[in-house]
Amino acid sequence: MALKENIETREFDVAEFLDNEETINAYLAESLASGDQAEFLEALSDVARARGMTQLANETGIARESLYKALNGTTKPRFETILRILNALNIQLTTQYKQATV
């Protein structure tokens, strides 16, 4: 069996697969459960890109460039900014007790 020589690949982009509310919710919930702020911000950035940064900028009232900066993983955005982004994405944070470890 001969191997094909002209195989093209491209970098995986999770944003391409965040195409419905259930998937987006599960993705953000899992990243938030990790407890790693950088991981959650990266996931939120993926969701923002999947929805469209320009549309999100319009809905949040935050400039597109500022959204990119807030979600680039090198800054620590204000909680208010995160809430505005989540609100525009129609996502609500909720709390629950951790299960006790025995």
Side-chain angles (χ1 to χ4, degrees):
M1 180 182 201
L3 295 176
K4 293 184 179 180
E5 294 181 24
N6 295 329
I7 296 177
E8 291 185 30
T9 61
R10 60 187 172 104
E11 192 171 325
F12 176 77
D13 184 3
V14 70
E16 294 177 21
F17 300 94
L18 298 172
D19 55 2
N20 64 63
E21 300 298 321
E22 185 177 328
T23 303
I24 288 170
N25 186 53
Y27 183 60
L28 288 176
E30 196 62 35
S31 69
L32 192 58
S34 75
D36 183 345
Q37 178 181 339
E39 184 178 330
F40 177 71
L41 290 176
E42 182 177 349
L44 190 56
S45 176
D46 293 336
V47 171
R49 286 185 305 104
R51 290 291 180 87
M53 287 295 227
T54 301
Q55 178 180 340
L56 188 59
N58 291 335
E59 292 175 6
T60 60
I62 300 171
R64 195 169 57 91
E65 296 79 15
S66 296
L67 282 175
Y68 279 111
K69 185 177 178 182
L71 299 173
N72 70 7
T74 61
T75 61
K76 292 188 177 187
R78 294 172 37 175
F79 189 64
E80 174 189 1
T81 301
I82 299 301
L83 288 179
R84 286 171 69 183
I85 293 168
L86 291 173
N87 188 48
L89 294 170
N90 201 29
I91 296 170
Q92 179 178 351
L93 287 180
T94 59
T95 61
Q96 68 182 30
Y97 286 105
K98 290 182 180 181
Q99 292 186 3
T101 56
V102 181

